[in-house]
């Protein structure tokens, strides 16, 4: 046994892989949490607000997936807009990434949790490299430059970043699944897809750039006047696309299907509102949607559970130390 382990370790070294080839969820969340100390809050995307709305399906995806929400009709959701980072008091406009998460309760006894970010791709394709990317970001300057030099697979992400201009509203951003999933049809056909939320509303020119909560306040203001809506657009992979690699963009000419509209009509800024207790684990899927083997997707599920375990212990079950 010891001998086999020695051979395994030396072969990993021979192929120049770190021995700690798979970073654990605990280690990952330790890194994301850093020295920040906000008991009860998420260790990533700590700042956020709950929203309520519905998905208005047009039925266009019902022949590709048996998931009930793709039948023509409306399905309610609880959502959460959030900002990347471990500090729930950080200024909205300093966050590098903006996010939207949705939770659907589907009959019978099924759930779908969706968590999306503004970039369309990751910079890297596995959790270990993502860990090293965060280490480099924390070190700053030369370290991050060096990181991207050593990771040519970041090219698509860097191209997006160079062209991305943050908007003046959560409502005006595009949100992306980044990871791919499969739609599963009634006849057993699997289609790899990514999706995005494409904004349908206009700028209301109400952003108070001096406010620490600028985006949250803008959202509350615009929801007093009307709804926030997006087209939910699915992009279909072809045999040329690797659905297990979240760092690679799929060409823009891939077939796209608009499944319907996401319509948000209410916000609740209370830190104890119901979305705050939800773990938006992207592997909580209904029948008709399957995960790919993207290693980042698997790592997300484990890391969200670890973050949830920590915050739930502090918030809901503070009695257990
Ligand atoms: C290995 C990669 C990743 C890791 C380790 C990671 C880790 C985390 C953690 C620990 C949380 C807090 C979970 C909680 O306490 O409920 C979180 C939240 C979140 N993550 Fe990730 N994440 C990863 C990749 C991604 C990607 C690719 C996306 C976008 C497609 C994403 C979008 C989000 C969003 C939107 C939230 C906030 C959801 C909410 O409002 O509760 N993450 N992430």
């Amino acid at each position: 046994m010891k001998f086999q382990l020695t051979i395994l370790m030396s072969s990993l070294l021979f192929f120049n892989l770190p021995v700690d080839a798979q970073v654990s969820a605990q280690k990952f969340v330790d890194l994301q949490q850093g020295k920040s100390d906000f008991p009860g809050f998420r260790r990533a995307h700590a700042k956020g607000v709950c929203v309520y709305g519905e998905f208005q399906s047009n039925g266009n995806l019902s022949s590709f997936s048996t998931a009930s929400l793709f039948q023509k009709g409306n399905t309610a959701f609880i959502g959460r807009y959030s900002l990347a980072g471990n500090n729930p008091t950080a200024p909205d406009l300093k966050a590098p990434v903006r996010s939207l998460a949705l939770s659907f309760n589907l009959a019978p006894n099924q759930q779908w949790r969706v968590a999306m970010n503004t970039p369309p791709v990751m910079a890297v394709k596995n959790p270990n490299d993502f860990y090293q990317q965060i280490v480099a970001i924390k070190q700053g300057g030369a370290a991050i430059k060096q990181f991207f030099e050593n990771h040519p697979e970041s090219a698509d992400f860097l191209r997006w970043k160079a062209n991305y201009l943050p908007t003046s509203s959560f409502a005006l951003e595009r949100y992306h699944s980044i990871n791919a999933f499969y739609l599963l049809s009634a006849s057993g056909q699997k289609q790899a897809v990514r999706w995005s939320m494409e904004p349908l509303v206009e700028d209301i020119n109400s952003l108070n750039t001096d406010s620490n909560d600028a985006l949250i306040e803008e959202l509350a203001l615009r929801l007093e006047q009307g709804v926030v809506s997006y087209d939910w657009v699915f992009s279909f992979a072809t045999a040329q696309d690797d659905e297990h690699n979240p760092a690679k963009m799929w060409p823009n000419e891939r077939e796209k299907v608009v499944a319907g509209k996401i319509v948000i009509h209410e916000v609740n800024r209370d830190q104890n509102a119901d979305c705050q207790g939800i773990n938006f684990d992207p592997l909580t899927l209904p029948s008709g949607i399957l995960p790919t083997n993207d290693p980042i997707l698997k790592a997300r599920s484990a890391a969200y559970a670890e973050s949830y375990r920590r915050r739930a212990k502090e918030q809901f079950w503070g009695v257990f130390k």
Side-chain angles (χ1 to χ4, degrees):
M1 182 62 191
K2 199 173 163 199
F3 176 67
Q4 282 175 335
L5 200 67
T6 314
I7 293 188
L8 175 70
M9 287 179 60
S10 33
S11 61
L12 286 174
L13 288 171
F14 178 74
F15 288 109
N16 207 19
L17 279 171
V19 175
D20 184 13
Q22 184 65 53
V23 61
S24 70
Q26 287 75 14
K27 202 172 155 194
F28 214 118
V29 174
D30 284 347
L31 179 71
Q32 290 178 305
Q33 178 174 334
K35 290 195 171 52
S36 91
D37 186 18
F38 293 98
F41 285 88
R42 288 165 171 79
R43 271 41 179 183
H45 301 255
K47 189 172 189 185
V49 283
C50 300
V51 288
Y52 303 87
E54 61 190 15
F55 170 50
Q56 300 174 347
S57 170
N58 55 24
N60 287 349
L61 273 193
S62 59
S63 58
F64 294 96
S65 168
T66 56
S68 60
L69 85 172
F70 292 130
Q71 300 294 319
K72 199 169 176 359
N74 296 351
T75 307
F77 61 79
I78 297 179
R80 185 172 179 268
Y81 281 108
S82 66
L83 299 152
N86 56 19
N87 181 348
T89 66
D92 291 3
L93 298 180
K94 287 272 160 63
V97 170
R98 300 170 181 178
S99 311
L100 175 60
L102 306 173
S103 171
F104 298 96
N105 277 329
L106 305 173
N109 303 323
Q110 296 198 7
Q111 300 244 339
W112 190 5
R113 308 256 167 98
V114 174
M116 301 162 289
N117 281 347
T118 36
V121 281
M122 298 278 296
V124 291
K125 54 186 180 180
N126 65 60
N128 245 27
D129 289 347
F130 188 40
Y131 185 92
Q132 297 306 340
Q133 185 190 345
I134 299 175
V135 170
I137 290 169
K138 287 189 183 230
Q139 289 167 347
I144 187 73
K145 190 163 175 279
Q146 184 68 54
F147 178 87
F148 285 125
E149 273 170 22
N150 294 343
H151 289 272
E153 74 276 23
S154 299
D156 286 355
F157 172 80
L158 291 176
R159 202 170 304 118
W160 170 82
K161 194 165 177 273
N163 292 310
Y164 170 68
L165 273 180
T167 66
S168 58
S169 174
F170 276 128
L172 299 173
E173 295 289 341
R174 286 196 167 85
Y175 300 92
H176 300 92
S177 69
I178 304 182
N179 305 114
F181 294 79
Y182 297 107
L183 301 180
L184 181 66
S185 76
S187 61
Q189 291 279 98
K190 266 168 71 175
Q191 171 64 52
V193 292
R194 281 176 175 160
W195 62 77
S196 62
M197 298 294 166
E198 304 287 334
L200 293 172
V201 295
E202 307 275 305
D203 198 343
I204 57 164
N205 300 309
S206 293
L207 189 72
N208 173 8
T209 50
D210 294 332
S211 171
N212 199 59
D213 301 328
L215 292 172
I216 293 174
E217 285 164 3
E218 196 271 356
L219 177 73
L221 207 67
R222 70 161 60 233
L223 285 171
E224 280 170 20
Q225 300 168 15
V227 298
V228 168
S229 54
Y230 307 86
D231 271 336
W232 192 349
V233 182
F234 286 75
S235 181
F236 283 28
T238 68
Q240 276 87 59
D241 304 315
D242 177 1
E243 67 265 34
H244 313 298
N245 179 356
K248 189 86 196 120
M249 287 282 262
W250 297 350
N252 201 27
E253 60 269 19
R254 290 291 175 264
E255 182 186 350
K256 295 192 176 56
V257 175
V258 180
K261 283 188 177 52
I262 286 289
V263 180
I264 294 170
H265 28 77
E266 197 185 330
V267 61
N268 185 345
R269 295 175 61 181
D270 185 343
Q271 273 314 308
N272 294 316
D274 38 14
C275 82
Q276 305 294 357
I278 298 178
N279 169 3
F280 289 92
D281 173 353
L283 290 187
T284 302
L285 299 166
S287 55
I289 314 284
L290 298 172
T292 53
N293 276 330
D294 174 346
I296 296 259
L297 187 55
K298 307 262 162 80
R300 285 178 72 186
S301 184
Y304 291 27
E306 175 60 17
S307 172
Y308 182 81
R309 190 186 68 78
R310 294 182 191 190
R311 63 189 173 94
K313 206 167 133 194
E314 293 154 356
Q315 195 177 8
F316 310 122
W317 305 304
V319 60
F320 299 118
K321 290 295 168 209

